[in-house]
Amino acid sequence: MVAARYLNFTKAGAELNVSASAVSHQMRQLEEYFGMHLFQREAGKLKLTDEGRFLFERLDLPFQDISRAAKQMRAMHSRKSVNLMCRPFFSSFWLAPRLSGLWARHPNLELNLIHKAQIDHSELALVDLAVIWSREDVSDLHVHRLLDGMLTPVMSRSLAEKQGIPSNPADLERFVLLHEDNHTNWSAWLEKAGVPNLKPAGSLRVDDTNVRLQHVLAGQGIMLSDPHLLAGLIANGTLIRPFSHFLSGYSYSLVWPLNRQHDKRTQNVINWLLEEGSKSTASQVET
């Protein structure tokens, strides 16, 4: 794959830490295996044959995925780093703005962030810690609540200027509602707001919360989100929270397996996260 990407055996050899002749030899063996030419030379330059291009286009991305997975696995098991798995949205709007405080307290600490939109419990064995978003009690993990979550509609200032701010939940019929991978949360919110049979002007499913927020910022619809994570955008007027109705019972919780023993580096991260979570909880009560 490297030789096909560079179309130069010397550059491929440099990346693989072998000689150009070794790459050429391996290519000849591969061509003998398939019984066809994969490369050809034209005007002194290396080109893929149609068969070579067919093979490269179908195998390059899977091999890159394997390489990334191997690098991530090595990073996750590095003795120097603390591996924290969390949702990208939480990382962007809660964790990232606070990380300078962690570095100030522990300047030599190496944190390896692994982002997953949906975190399966089986994956927690691969990392030191995880922050999950859930409404459920988790019995097979150590669970420490970082902050209470809620879901309420948010819209952009640009959409409000174009279509107005809905004055009551029934007004949402004039808007496009942006959903996660299903309509569950919007259905629950609309029922709680007293309009369970509302028919919006349109619906759009976007399974990534960060991407869904970009659609909102572009004025393409209204999403449900936690106003505490978006407090900065609401405070500066970029986003508007039109209603007081919200779904409760959600939380962001720091978790790890019951049998996990932590080293000092990991315990430092735990202590810092819980401290920041306490500050956030106090801020929630004030607002």
Side-chain angles (χ1 to χ4, degrees):
M1 292 303 105
V2 178
R5 197 177 306 123
Y6 285 119
L7 292 177
N8 184 300
F9 289 165
T10 300
K11 291 182 179 179
E15 180 171 320
L16 297 171
N17 201 29
V18 298
S19 66
S21 61
V23 175
S24 178
H25 178 68
Q26 288 296 320
M27 291 304 102
R28 285 197 299 272
Q29 287 189 321
L30 194 61
E31 288 177 330
E32 289 176 4
Y33 174 80
F34 284 113
M36 62 188 69
H37 290 292
L38 302 176
F39 295 89
Q40 63 184 20
R41 289 190 177 274
E42 288 187 2
K45 294 183 179 181
L46 200 63
K47 292 182 63 176
L48 287 171
T49 63
D50 290 341
E51 293 81 3
R53 186 174 299 104
F54 175 90
L55 197 64
F56 174 70
E57 289 176 350
R58 284 154 180 80
L59 294 182
D60 185 46
L61 287 179
F63 271 95
Q64 289 187 45
D65 288 341
I66 292 170
S67 177
R68 280 193 293 269
K71 289 178 181 177
Q72 188 178 74
M73 182 65 73
R74 286 197 300 270
M76 286 193 294
H77 289 277
S78 168
R79 293 184 179 181
K80 296 181 180 180
S81 63
V82 176
N83 306 300
L84 174 63
M85 181 177 288
C86 57
R87 292 163 65 103
F89 189 68
F90 172 86
S91 184
S92 297
F93 288 93
W94 190 88
L95 184 60
R98 292 169 168 79
L99 277 178
S100 58
L102 178 63
W103 308 142
R105 184 176 300 180
H106 306 289
N108 297 319
L109 188 144
E110 181 178 322
L111 185 64
N112 180 34
L113 293 179
I114 301 103
H115 294 114
K116 294 291 294 290
Q118 300 295 332
I119 299 176
D120 189 279
H121 286 190
S122 64
E123 297 172 303
L124 301 183
L126 300 175
V127 296
D128 298 302
L129 305 167
V131 176
I132 63 172
W133 165 260
S134 177
R135 300 189 72 173
E136 304 172 357
D137 292 329
V138 184
S139 59
D140 58 340
L141 300 170
H142 283 291
V143 180
H144 296 267
R145 182 169 295 189
L146 288 181
L147 64 158
D148 291 328
M150 62 169 63
L151 291 176
T152 193
V154 292
M155 65 188 300
S156 68
R157 175 67 61 183
S158 61
L159 181 59
E161 291 173 350
K162 182 180 178 182
Q163 293 185 228
I165 300 175
S167 59
N168 60 73
D171 288 343
L172 289 173
E173 66 181 6
R174 298 188 287 107
F175 295 88
V176 174
L177 302 187
L178 302 178
H179 301 269
E180 301 173 58
D181 53 358
N182 58 60
H183 291 200
T184 301
N185 286 329
W186 261 117
S187 295
W189 187 91
L190 291 170
E191 182 173 357
K192 186 170 184 177
V195 286
N197 299 315
L198 182 133
K199 303 296 183 183
S203 295
L204 176 63
R205 291 188 183 185
V206 184
D207 61 358
D208 186 294
T209 312
N210 278 314
V211 177
R212 195 157 60 252
L213 177 60
Q214 293 306 310
H215 284 279
V216 170
L217 294 173
Q220 295 173 359
I222 298 177
M223 69 182 282
L224 291 173
S225 191
D226 188 336
H228 296 113
L229 265 63
L230 299 176
L233 293 176
I234 294 173
N236 66 25
T238 302
L239 292 178
I240 296 171
R241 176 186 174 182
F243 307 112
S244 60
H245 308 82
F246 61 86
L247 294 180
S248 61
Y250 289 91
S251 65
Y252 283 103
S253 298
L254 178 64
V255 303
W256 62 85
L258 289 174
N259 60 353
R260 181 67 50 80
Q261 298 294 319
H262 295 308
D263 58 20
K264 184 176 179 180
R265 286 185 296 269
T266 305
Q267 191 61 52
N268 286 338
V269 175
I270 292 172
N271 294 341
W272 177 80
L273 283 169
L274 294 179
E275 182 180 317
E276 291 299 314
S278 295
K279 293 177 184 177
S280 292
T281 299
S283 175
Q284 287 178 347
V285 173
E286 291 173 6
T287 56

